[in-house]
Amino acid sequence: MDTAAILETGAKLAFVIGINLGFFAPVLAWVERKQSAVMQDRIGANRADIFGFTVIGLFHSLADALKLIFKEDFVPRGADVTMHRLAPMIALIPALMGMAVIPFGGTYEIGGHAVNLVVADLDMGLLFVFAIASVATYGVVIGAWASNNNWSMLGGLRAAAQMFSYEVTMGLTIIGLLMYYQSLSLVEIVAKQESFWNWGIIYQWPAFILFLACAIAENKRVPFDIPEAESEIVAGYFTEYSGMKFIMFWTAEFIEVVTISALCVVLFFGGHHCAFISDAGLVALFGGGDLGNILAMLFGVAVFLVKVCVLIFIQMIIRWTLPRFRYDQVMMLGWKMILPLSLVWILFVGVAILTGLMPTPA
Amino acid sequence: MGMSDDKAVEALGGSAIVTRLDSVIAWGRKFSFFTYPFITACCGMEFMSVAGPRYDIDRFGAALPRFSPRQADLLLVVGTISHKQAPILVKVYNQMAEPKWVFAFGACVVSGGMYDNYATVQGIDTLIPVDVYVPGCPPRPEMVLDGLIKLQEKVVATPNQNSYVRGIAPVGEADDRIVTG
Amino acid sequence: MAITIKKIERGPKLTLWERSFVPEILRGMWITSRHFFHNMKTLTQEFALGGGRSKRSIMTLYYPEERPVTPVAYRGRPVLVRGANGLEKCVACGLCEAACPPHCISIVGAERDNGDRYPTTYTLDGAKCIFCGRCEEVCPKEAIVMSDDWAELCTYDRGEMLYDKERLLRPEASLARRLAFLRNNAFSKARYQ
């Protein structure tokens, strides 16, 4: 590995982590407040000002972070001290790691060197994302169990059951898509979506609906937020967490929202591709050569981020519209409704591809 | 330390903004109260109106109700506290993580209000230290927001972190805090 | 003994599509999205395009910059009326003290040299006051009325809410609206001329 490759990977890693922790996490906290407010016919937080500038309430996220950092940090009596301190980290780090295989741009020729805008170009990228999502379950369960609290335990048990069942279902919903694209590598899947008619949403829209439902359930967001149901079990698995640990759980949840949106964009909505413009055409549009490639790269990243924001917006609408599912309804939905539907869809896709009804992209 | 803020700015030729860490933290704390709405009675209706679209408490950043005392920092005591409810209130107050503030909402909480009898606690400050008193039966939402503004001013006026540590309530058992480490 | 079975009609039967709740979910999301986009449009018109307050469809009242105008019958904090001669109209009869449900008023009365009664101390505990207005109803001299002071009464210390006579007095001219309402109100007992 020469220094250029190390620097390149370092830059990509810095971009991914920076934009997640620095942009998406605080902005998502702001979006949650503001979008819910505007949907509910009110103005959200808008009074936090630095020297008179209230930037439509963005400073409230900063105030939240500041306050939570300087809050008292403690471990409840009778709790397992090491596990209690470890759990938020186990919840946060896999959420960040999942972003490593998601391509936020294509391959560009800059300075005679092919720059592939993904931190880790794995052949089995999609499998990696699901595997890492499974590890995040440990953070929840350990945190719940280590708190020495009835409500945490209940929340943790519910979380464990819900996350495991929806992981199985999530994997199965994607298989139809994998048969369509004939690859597990996310970079290849994005590359095949250069033409608009190869986007996942065109032929695989049932898989999109099922995948979105499963992914929201995996992330424990409303309407599936049984593990952290406020009115039922105090605060569920993170009852006994405050301050920095609470920030870690909170941030992990928001980062997973971004990961799910990014995954949906990459699998179904063409990744960084602008519809009806091919890659080469885009570079030519920006003048070709090194500068054209750099501009095309920035444009691709911008398109990707815009699409991720649209998906986040849709998830927020779902969150603030729907009431919470009951726990048995959640389990029934996962095992008895989405799983059979995804199996039927796999069968249908298999038959359709064999008979040529669904033309696979090249 | 040693140089006042204005002199420091002057010494730098007016090209710098000087503040103290304490005031920055106080700024953060005042604009993001995670409230614990300890609602028992009719004042809860006014709390609902304050949190509703017309008088939006979210504008001040105090919108997220955290029903776990560990995560909340503003204990909104709303509604009559009876002697049966008092130990529960004290326990919740003890369990809250520092820094914490208490907001007495309504006449029943401030003094006993209309209920000067054997069953009602004659004012929350006989149990736990209170920061802002909001009278009224129930207080108008504007009064509640005014109380919140006064609490914000109090947070800014006492930025020294050590002045926030309250510990457990003066009544109740000593090991009520249920924390270790 | 035969057991009779009664069949209960549980309402209209839902179709499979309806039972999946997908139409309802989509309808709910449609309603909230409609609210969102409508409010975003009017907010942009108000702030970015400078259309002003009239363009706003969100009903939030920006307290403390904007205050609502309450009707004249709205009961705020009780205040003592300072009559035309600069003295309080109160004659320390004690009716308000007797009528107050939380017993928040305490009066010590005395006589002046010319025979007029007046309260030497008049204490109203704002912490206990429930703003019911009975003191105003029973007062025979229009000496205590409910003002329009229903905000900015919060304090850091409960003792500051113990209003004494000086803090309660208000000139009669500032309470003209309320007094006029009381006189014209058919149910008011303050019919003393």
Side-chain angles (χ1 to χ4, degrees), chain A residues 33 40-51 59-60 63-64 66-68 70-72 74-77 230 234-235 238-242 246 250, chain B residues 17 24-25 27-29 31-32 34 51-53 56 58-61 63-68 70-73 97-99 161 175 177-181:
Chain A
R33 273 191 159 131
Q40 293 165 3
D41 284 346
R42 55 188 177 91
I43 314 274
N46 68 347
R47 289 185 89 94
D49 64 329
I50 296 183
F51 300 109
F59 288 141
H60 275 279
D64 275 345
L66 262 180
K67 184 207 74 166
L68 284 169
F70 287 100
K71 207 143 161 71
E72 180 190 353
F74 61 88
V75 175
R77 180 173 64 187
E230 267 172 10
V234 189
F238 51 74
T239 309
E240 298 281 355
Y241 288 94
S242 120
F246 176 64
W250 215 30
Chain B
I17 302 172
V24 171
I25 300 172
W27 175 89
R29 281 181 177 143
F31 277 121
S32 95
F34 281 179
D56 192 7
D58 193 11
R59 290 183 293 124
F60 298 86
L64 300 182
R66 294 270 126 212
F67 288 101
S68 163
R70 310 292 194 189
Q71 295 156 11
D73 35 27
E98 309 283 350
Q161 292 215 62
D175 60 346
R177 191 99 168 82
I178 321 183
V179 288
T180 178

Side-chain angles (χ1 to χ4, degrees), chain A residues 94 158 179 203 254 335:
Chain A
R158 288 178 173 185
M179 288 202 289
Y203 281 113
F254 283 145
W335 291 105

Side-chain angles (χ1 to χ4, degrees), chain A residues 32 216-217 219-225 253-254 257 316 319:
Chain A
E32 180 136 6
I216 294 179
N219 193 20
K220 306 178 292 301
R221 297 278 289 170
V222 182
F224 300 97
D225 74 337
E253 192 173 309
F254 283 145
V257 169
M316 285 289 173
R319 190 231 188 277

Side-chain angles (χ1 to χ4, degrees), chain A residues 105-169:
Chain A
T107 313
Y108 302 97
E109 284 277 335
I110 298 180
H113 189 66
V115 174
N116 194 3
L117 281 183
V118 61
V119 174
D121 187 1
L122 293 178
D123 271 343
M124 37 125 213
L126 199 53
L127 211 56
F128 176 81
V129 174
F130 289 155
I132 292 296
S134 311
V135 176
T137 317
Y138 280 113
V140 172
V141 176
I142 289 178
W145 195 258
S147 295
N148 194 29
N149 186 341
N150 305 357
W151 316 118
S152 301
M153 185 191 76
L154 278 176
L157 291 176
R158 288 178 173 185
Q162 178 182 320
M163 288 170 92
F164 289 149
S165 37
Y166 278 94
E167 264 159 34
V168 171
T169 317

